[in-house]
Amino acid sequence: MFRMAVGHSDDIDADIAARAIVDRCLEGLAGVEPKAGLLFSAWETDHEAVVRCVRERLPGIELIGSTSSAEMSSEMGYQEDSITLALFASDNVDITSGIATHLWDDVPAAVHAAVEQARAKTDKVPKLCVITPSAGGDMRALLDALRHELGPDVPVIGGGASPRSNRHPTRESWQFYGDRVVRDSIPILLLSGPLTYSFGTDAGWRPIGPKGRVTDVSGGVVRQIDGKPALSFYERYLGEGFEPAFATPLAVFDEGSERFYLRAPVHHDPDTGAITVSGDVQEGAQVQLTTAATDEIFDGTRSALTQAIDQFPGGGKPEAALIFSCAIRKYLLGTRTGTEYDITQEMLGGGVPVCGFYSFGEIAPLDEGGEARYHNETMVALLLGTS
């Protein structure tokens, strides 16, 4: 048995909202004892009050989560300035947690500590790792460290904790673990035992123009593509004077594959032609410009869900769905952002509980068995159940 129940509230009083989401979750579990929880909260909420209330009511659960740019659930659909909680119960799947703070001081050591905490609480084989980390540092190093600790057979899926604003200079965000509200940390949930799951990722953006090769880069600062200033790569296909924007991210291709992940431009230097993107790009990577109309962004939503539904083991019906979408998608979609949840509900049907948030970067492999990637402007759909 695997069960997820969801609570969601947009009450402005943090204590009232926290009590409401716990009540609704316990009602949904119908007497079954919860093992773990995933909490998403608007940045402006009194996070200390919310976490304190949840832990007072549910002192034994393994709880992680983060701040969010917007929230979605099968209880209230798409909302802004709200909090949502998913509680998990199972009689055969262990759900354990771990955390490490000061993440960016020593990424391998932090990841080792968090994984060891979670592993120490179970004797079952890990199947899936869900994370809601601070996303302000070297995400490639973070994902490489998780792969090293967990092995290639345990996919890592989740979303980066959202700051107050995508353009906020400090990228300040908060992560939740147990009764703590922390920053610069990596909280994880490790699901072990006979878990069944599937996932899908897509953005909806389509490549345009020829590919180029990154020839000078440092982290997320792309200086040259094809030996010329990166800004000229944009101008070559979109016109002189065109400035990189969220609506035209770079597609970065995995070697030997036509699958790609996106890098959103966040700054450019007209003097040097360098472009700074959210996340790293490796020297030698193939890149291509992309564009998308609003309906094509929604096509990406459908594609991510279709992948997850079609790949769910045995053609069975999932017991739960977690959705990680991008704060930039929310920014670009504006008043139509809620359509992403409407599509989710339509494709999954009314019987599957859903919980998710708009994150600062999404985390998932491009394909089953592949390495986890840090995505921009993407939707990740994760379906859960048990054999």
Side-chain angles (χ1 to χ4, degrees):
M1 177 270 290
F2 185 93
R3 189 177 298 174
M4 182 179 90
V6 180
H8 199 162
S9 175
D10 62 355
D11 197 293
I12 60 173
D13 186 294
D15 288 318
I16 293 174
R19 289 195 295 270
I21 61 175
V22 172
D23 287 343
R24 186 66 188 96
C25 282
L26 293 177
E27 180 183 338
L29 290 179
V32 179
E33 190 75 17
K35 286 187 172 182
L38 194 55
L39 175 68
F40 303 123
S41 174
W43 201 94
E44 294 80 4
T45 302
D46 184 346
H47 310 122
E48 298 278 0
V50 171
V51 169
R52 181 181 63 248
C53 183
V54 172
R55 290 293 292 178
E56 286 174 354
R57 296 286 303 280
L58 304 166
I61 67 165
E62 307 274 333
L63 180 69
I64 76 164
S66 74
T67 46
S68 53
S69 290
E71 305 73 44
M72 66 186 97
S73 79
S74 45
E75 288 296 300
M76 294 181 65
Y78 170 80
Q79 297 289 326
E80 298 181 34
D81 301 321
S82 69
I83 59 174
T84 185
L85 173 69
L87 287 186
F88 304 98
S90 179
D91 57 2
N92 56 358
V93 175
D94 285 350
I95 310 171
T96 57
S97 65
I99 191 170
T101 55
H102 305 291
L103 171 60
W104 306 116
D105 293 347
D106 187 338
V107 172
V111 168
H112 176 77
V115 171
E116 284 302 297
Q117 286 179 51
R119 275 183 162 164
K121 302 172 189 176
T122 180
D123 58 3
K124 296 179 179 179
V125 177
K127 287 289 189 72
L128 176 72
C129 182
V130 176
I131 66 174
T132 59
S134 162
D138 188 344
M139 294 300 292
R140 181 177 290 271
L142 172 64
L143 298 179
D144 286 348
L146 282 164
R147 187 176 178 86
H148 174 77
E149 293 291 334
L150 295 168
D153 297 327
V154 181
V156 177
I157 295 177
S162 289
R164 177 181 293 184
S165 165
N166 288 322
R167 299 185 182 277
H168 194 259
T170 63
R171 306 216 186 282
E172 189 174 80
S173 63
W174 299 96
Q175 299 83 53
F176 314 138
Y177 181 78
D179 59 359
R180 300 162 61 190
V181 177
V182 293
R183 65 174 69 179
D184 293 330
S185 72
I186 175 170
I188 73 170
L189 278 184
L190 193 62
L191 290 81
S192 306
L195 179 78
T196 56
Y197 65 87
S198 62
F199 62 88
T201 67
D202 208 334
W205 270 259
R206 53 185 172 84
I208 57 172
K211 293 179 182 176
R213 192 168 294 277
V214 175
T215 49
D216 186 1
V217 63
S218 177
V221 181
V222 183
R223 298 188 184 92
Q224 292 188 354
I225 300 173
D226 292 334
K228 298 179 180 179
L231 193 57
S232 69
F233 185 71
Y234 271 82
E235 292 177 334
R236 190 184 318 167
Y237 304 114
L238 298 177
E240 187 174 349
F242 184 90
E243 297 184 351
F246 287 159
T248 53
L250 279 177
V252 182
F253 289 83
D254 267 356
E255 191 66 35
S257 172
E258 287 304 305
R259 293 297 305 271
F260 59 83
Y261 50 95
L262 295 179
R263 287 290 175 262
V266 294
H267 176 74
H268 69 278
D269 186 335
D271 295 327
T272 65
I275 298 172
T276 301
V277 299
S278 180
D280 75 301
V281 179
Q282 296 293 295
E283 187 166 332
Q286 281 196 314
V287 295
Q288 198 169 6
L289 297 181
T290 68
T291 188
T294 298
D295 287 342
E296 289 172 320
I297 297 175
F298 293 139
D299 287 342
T301 307
R302 294 185 181 91
S303 175
L305 287 158
T306 297
Q307 292 171 48
I309 293 167
D310 289 349
Q311 294 171 16
F312 197 76
K317 184 175 181 179
E319 298 296 330
L322 297 176
I323 305 296
F324 306 92
S325 193
C326 186
I328 296 177
R329 293 172 76 87
K330 173 198 163 191
Y331 171 80
L332 294 172
L333 290 170
T335 58
R336 296 187 65 188
T337 306
T339 301
E340 285 214 290
Y341 176 75
D342 295 340
I343 292 169
T344 301
Q345 184 180 51
E346 175 187 339
M347 294 187 66
L348 291 177
V352 179
V354 178
C355 187
F357 81 120
Y358 282 79
S359 60
F360 190 71
E362 301 68 57
I363 298 158
L366 286 168
D367 299 292
E368 186 175 354
E371 296 182 31
R373 299 298 187 195
Y374 179 62
H375 303 261
N376 302 157
E377 309 193 34
T378 295
M379 176 168 170
V380 175
L382 173 63
L383 305 183
L384 302 169
T386 188
S387 54

